[in-house]
Amino acid sequence: MRGRQEARRPHGELVADVLAVLWASAEPMTAQQVKGALRQDLARTTVATILARLHEKGTLGRTRPGRSFAYAPVADAAGLAAGRMRRELEKEPQRDLVLKRFVSSLSADDEDVLRSLLIAAESGRLAGAEGQARAEDSARVKEA
């Protein structure tokens, strides 16, 4: 039993590997294709379960081009991280305090980046760029 536990992956590592495979692909992939790209000794059903759960969470879009579902990410890694950050912020009743603590923990370089992003957002330039990125993500999933 002990050897078996040591062989287990850290939580989320396989999910991260699956997402990396999908982000690297230009086309949606089936569970069998993802399994092959991972080059690990995994059951297809294990990969299919991960893909289905990611779809249920809204992380992946899916189509059915044949007998199997094909999956594609709905956002890149940065988009997923931003979504997680937004969901965490929305859970908190004292959003201003959470933001204050977050900003106070940033490095000087990150503060500068955030400041310039806020200025760009205020002037409307960032909204246009974000809208374009969302449109590209949506188009990729719809093409799939």
Side-chain angles (χ1 to χ4, degrees), residues 27-50:
E27 301 291 325
M29 297 176 74
T30 65
Q32 189 66 35
Q33 292 169 322
V34 172
K35 177 187 178 301
L38 288 170
R39 297 186 182 137
Q40 298 173 19
D41 187 24
L42 297 168
R44 186 201 56 80
T45 54
T46 300
V47 176
T49 298
I50 291 168

Side-chain angles (χ1 to χ4, degrees), residues 28-100:
M29 297 176 74
T30 65
Q32 189 66 35
Q33 292 169 322
V34 172
K35 177 187 178 301
L38 288 170
R39 297 186 182 137
Q40 298 173 19
D41 187 24
L42 297 168
R44 186 201 56 80
T45 54
T46 300
V47 176
T49 298
I50 291 168
L51 293 169
R53 288 181 179 164
L54 288 170
H55 175 260
E56 289 169 8
K57 290 179 181 180
T59 304
L60 300 177
R62 76 178 179 191
T63 58
R64 194 170 205 149
R67 290 178 44 198
S68 300
F69 286 113
Y71 295 86
V74 296
D76 60 9
L80 288 178
R84 284 192 306 272
M85 292 168 63
R86 187 185 63 252
R87 285 188 299 277
E88 287 301 316
L89 182 60
E90 289 170 354
K91 291 179 191 176
E92 294 297 325
Q94 295 181 306
R95 293 171 69 127
D96 57 336
L97 182 58
V98 173
L99 288 168
K100 180 180 178 181

